[in-house]
């Protein structure tokens, strides 16, 4: 039986490094098998999207993301997620660890009703820290978010020009040297640099396949 919360390789490595119980939740990237657009604000990031490559496309993996989306669309999502969070909390408490959840290692907040479900979950768990990348700039730009929820605006979408640069935001660079020169924190290997770090400027080094979308310095981006 699949679970709502899981740990991809980067999440597992990051949590272990910091002694934190770190889990992620993901839904299909870009579009589900039923035709639901799960990343409605995606732009250039559609080319080279890591969540549409590699393990995310494996025959035994992709159906699990579809299953999570089906659960997320149901009226029982908040209750089912709460039950899973309670189990994760109990496990983290036994290990003396803090519980942190990354929402969407794949997909985005595709609708207002879906976002409201997550805000309800976050509100019910003030002892858990949540964070998420998003390209839904207009959905969040003026929103007041819970103290235990960090939102990171991710470049590469349709509304990059509207990203408030004084808030947490992410940019992809072609090299580590370029990233560091721009004053961004490197979250390429450690996801908690974004989830818990002090620098609101989150940088990642692009390692995907070359394509037209990534040949100019102004447009090196990916889903993160």
């Amino acid at each position: 039986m699949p679970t709502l919360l899981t740990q991809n390789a980067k999440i597992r490595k990051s949590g272990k490094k910091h002694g934190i119980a770190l889990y992620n939740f993901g839904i299909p990237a870009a579009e589900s098998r039923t035709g639901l657009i799960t990343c409605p604000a995606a732009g250039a990031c559609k080319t080279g999207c890591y969540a549409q490559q590699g393990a995310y496309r494996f025959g035994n993996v992709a159906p699990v993301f579809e299953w999570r989306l089906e659960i997320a669309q149901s009226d029982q999502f908040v209750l089912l997620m709460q039950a899973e969070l309670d189990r994760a909390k109990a496990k983290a408490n036994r290990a003396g660890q803090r519980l942190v959840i990354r929402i969407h290692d794949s997909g985005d907040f595709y609708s207002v009703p879906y976002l409201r479900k997550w805000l309800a979950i976050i509100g019910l768990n003030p002892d858990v820290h949540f964070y998420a990348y998003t390209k839904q700039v207009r959905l969040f730009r003026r929103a007041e978010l819970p103290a235990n929820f960090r939102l990171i605006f991710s470049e590469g979408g349709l509304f990059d020009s509207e990203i408030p640069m004084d808030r947490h935001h992410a940019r992809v660079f072609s090299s580590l040297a370029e990233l560091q020169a721009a004053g961004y924190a490197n979250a390429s290997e450690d996801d908690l640099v974004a989830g818990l770090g002090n620098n609101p400027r989150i940088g990642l080094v692009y390692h995907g396949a070359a394509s037209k979308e990534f040949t100019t310095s102004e447009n090196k981006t990916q889903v993160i």
Side-chain angles (χ1 to χ4, degrees), residues 71-221:
I71 297 298
Q73 291 179 290
S74 76
D75 294 337
Q76 299 301 309
F77 180 54
V78 174
L79 292 176
L80 292 172
M81 179 58 75
Q82 186 60 53
E84 191 136 340
L85 282 168
D86 287 341
R87 289 190 288 271
K89 284 183 190 181
K91 184 177 180 180
N93 288 337
R94 288 194 297 270
Q97 295 178 324
R98 181 182 184 184
L99 180 60
V100 178
I101 306 296
R102 172 174 171 174
I103 306 172
H104 301 142
D105 62 315
S106 175
D108 204 343
F109 297 99
Y110 58 84
S111 71
V112 172
Y114 175 56
L115 170 59
R116 287 173 178 163
K117 291 177 183 179
W118 270 112
L119 291 178
I121 292 166
I122 294 167
L124 289 168
N125 296 275
D127 54 335
V128 179
H129 180 76
F130 298 81
Y131 69 102
Y133 291 92
T134 187
K135 291 178 172 63
Q136 288 278 57
V137 181
R138 292 181 175 179
L139 194 63
F140 286 100
R141 189 171 183 183
R142 294 179 177 82
E144 291 188 13
L145 302 177
N148 59 325
F149 179 36
R150 172 177 290 182
L151 190 75
I152 304 162
F153 291 113
S154 175
E155 293 184 351
L158 299 177
F159 310 111
D160 283 6
S161 63
E162 300 178 31
I163 293 177
M165 303 306 286
D166 58 334
R167 293 176 60 178
H168 281 86
H169 65 278
R171 177 175 296 173
V172 177
F173 295 87
S174 59
S175 69
L176 179 59
E178 183 184 352
L179 181 156
Q180 293 174 331
Y184 281 67
N186 182 23
S188 301
E189 302 295 332
D190 184 354
D191 214 57
L192 286 174
V193 168
L196 294 174
N198 295 322
N199 191 341
R201 293 177 292 181
I202 309 302
L204 296 103
V205 178
Y206 179 70
H207 296 296
S211 73
K212 181 179 179 181
E213 298 291 346
F214 305 106
T215 56
T216 65
S217 60
E218 294 81 10
N219 196 22
K220 295 185 179 70
T221 185

